[in-house]
Amino acid sequence: MKQTLPLTRRRMLQLTAPAAFALAAGWNARGVSARASHGAITGEPTAALRGAEVLVQGGNAVDAIVTAALVAAVVSPNNCGIGGYGGHMTLALDGGKRVTSIDFNSTAPAALKADAFLDAAGNVRAEAHDHGWLAAGVPGTLAGLEMALRKFGTRSFREAVAPAIKLAKDGFPVTTGVVAGIRAAQVKLRQDPASARLLLRDGGPPVVGSRFANPELAAMLETLARRNSVDSFYRGDIAQRIAEAFQKNGGLVTTADLAAYRAREVKPLHVKYGGADIFTAPPTAGGLTALETLLVLDALQWSNMLPGNEKTHARVEALRLAWRDRLQLLGDPDKARVPVAKLLSKDYAGELAGQVRAAVRAKKPLDIQIESRAQGGTVHLSCVDASGNLAALTLTHGNSYGACVTVDGLGLTLGHGMSRFEARPGHPNSPGPGKRPLHNMCPTVVLRGGKPVLALGGAGGRKIPNALLDVLLAFVGDRLPLEQASEAPRLNTEGGLDLRIEKRWPAAEVEYLKDLGYKVTIGASARISAVSFDPQTGECSAATRI
């Protein structure tokens, strides 16, 4: 008679190593990769381990990534949360027969007006836009995760949320990232009594390695688990408590706003490049910028250009044009005219390619004036199961601890999705009732020959779309395996003359860009977490690198 071993945590690690455990253990290293045949998940380390348990137990990629996301929302409270403003997911299922996205971005309350963040003189009230109760909209995270599980998973919400409840109740070791986030935001956190009680318990940040628990959040999640539904978070007793907290503290979200909220299944954006089909979440997600850049580079026949100064200059200018379009033209397509079809058209790519060629010939940057804006936070998870189902999921608070406000009694820190709007009226991404703000998350999947081969996304604010592009160029364009594609050097621009380039970039090209007039600094890119699948062998690979 065959003996079945109990699935202890130690046994799970034996089964999943190295694909999940090695990735988690190497989180603070420069990068780490692994291969396995049973599936793989990568991203926040504790979340990746819990997701790997689900894969070992027979769950599919959606089961695993939703479980992992719920865990990340507890153990990475600086980057995301159960009350985080939301995110996006892109899935490739059934051997590539179904590719879809789920939009669970935050929505603005019905009372939010276009001039909500301006004072009487028409100046931006930066503090109200960045943190506090006005900066928080309807949190979308729970609605999106439950929708994914219900439509494409095999497990119940009760099962998926159990690991997150245990960590919230029993606590987890505080990481350097959690502490650094509290230090960065502690002035704002002190302004909100509930946040101060939760995160500054001894008057300051906790010690790295100490145990942190959130029993109030655990109790709320236990209530949802008993009901096997998140519905009461949006339409019920919990929603009432959230709305009351907004009202008490001068916020705008009401029970009607919460009740009206719905996560949405949406059609991904799709382009062909390098013989592959690339799908990413549509606006208000950020992947359009990377896709537009790919099309411009394709029109330039960039892959056939010889490596060197001109090729790198062309890459920079294509990115700058895409960022110009992003920051001037993009917003919520349901509330503003957003020319998505034009930006991804062959004719427009050819037009922009002509501008890039002219700039390269003239050895001058294009005249584009864009203001850079520091943005951080975010967790990205990528997962593949043994059947080749791919899932890419990004969720966020925004910057560290989001709005820096907490619903007292629920342990629910809220994201600051409203900070992602342009504060002034008249822009496609200006504030407005029911609008979803533009953001940088871009969960993406790639099919080759109609079969899913790659899922990826990033964390790191405005650096995400550019880092995504870098990995796509290497994996799709240069046909490099995932580990090498992840190691390819990266650069970042937000459309202006400021360039951030990794130190491994060829020194001669860096000097050339400086000579052209760019303000070049050496620095880190976004953290990209990706998984790949070989349809021929069934081998799964995973890689994470800053």
Side-chain angles (χ1 to χ4, degrees), residues 475-493:
F475 184 90
V476 177
D478 297 336
R479 306 280 294 202
L480 295 178
L482 176 57
E483 183 175 358
Q484 294 179 39
S486 296
E487 285 297 314
R490 302 171 188 170
L491 61 79
N492 186 73
T493 175

Side-chain angles (χ1 to χ4, degrees), residues 336-464:
R337 287 189 175 184
V338 180
V340 174
K342 175 186 175 181
L343 297 180
L344 297 182
S345 69
K346 184 175 181 179
D347 288 346
Y348 189 64
E351 177 185 328
L352 297 190
Q355 296 179 37
V356 173
R357 288 192 193 96
V360 171
R361 284 196 302 267
K363 294 182 169 57
K364 291 182 179 180
L366 290 165
D367 185 15
I368 301 173
Q369 303 298 322
I370 296 292
E371 180 184 354
S372 297
R373 184 179 297 173
Q375 293 180 350
T378 309
V379 163
H380 179 80
L381 298 156
S382 291
C383 185
V384 57
D385 62 28
S387 299
N389 294 306
L390 295 176
L393 185 157
T394 317
L395 65 163
T396 191
H397 264 321
N399 294 344
S400 284
Y401 296 97
C404 297
V405 297
T406 300
V407 180
D408 202 8
L410 296 182
L412 191 71
T413 302
L414 301 174
H416 66 160
M418 304 304 95
S419 73
R420 279 9 187 187
F421 284 121
E422 293 296 323
R424 297 186 183 278
H427 190 282
N429 191 40
S430 293
K435 286 185 73 172
R436 299 181 182 230
L438 185 68
H439 58 75
N440 306 296
M441 297 177 278
C442 41
T444 300
V445 298
V446 177
L447 275 61
R448 190 178 282 146
K451 300 295 183 182
V453 295
L454 180 71
L456 75 164
R462 283 190 173 185
K463 298 191 292 281
I464 296 173

Side-chain angles (χ1 to χ4, degrees), residues 66-82:
V66 169
T67 299
L70 289 164
V71 167
V74 170
V75 303
S76 189
N78 50 315
N79 292 317
C80 62
I82 298 299

Side-chain angles (χ1 to χ4, degrees), residues 22-33 42 483-491 501-505 522-529 543-546:
L23 286 172
W27 182 257
N28 291 320
R30 171 171 176 77
V32 62
S33 61
T42 181
E483 183 175 358
Q484 294 179 39
S486 296
E487 285 297 314
R490 302 171 188 170
L491 61 79
I501 294 181
E502 291 187 334
K503 62 183 179 180
R504 293 181 301 136
W505 203 277
I522 304 301
S525 176
R527 176 184 285 116
I528 295 292
S529 298
T544 289
R545 180 174 85 78
I546 296 175

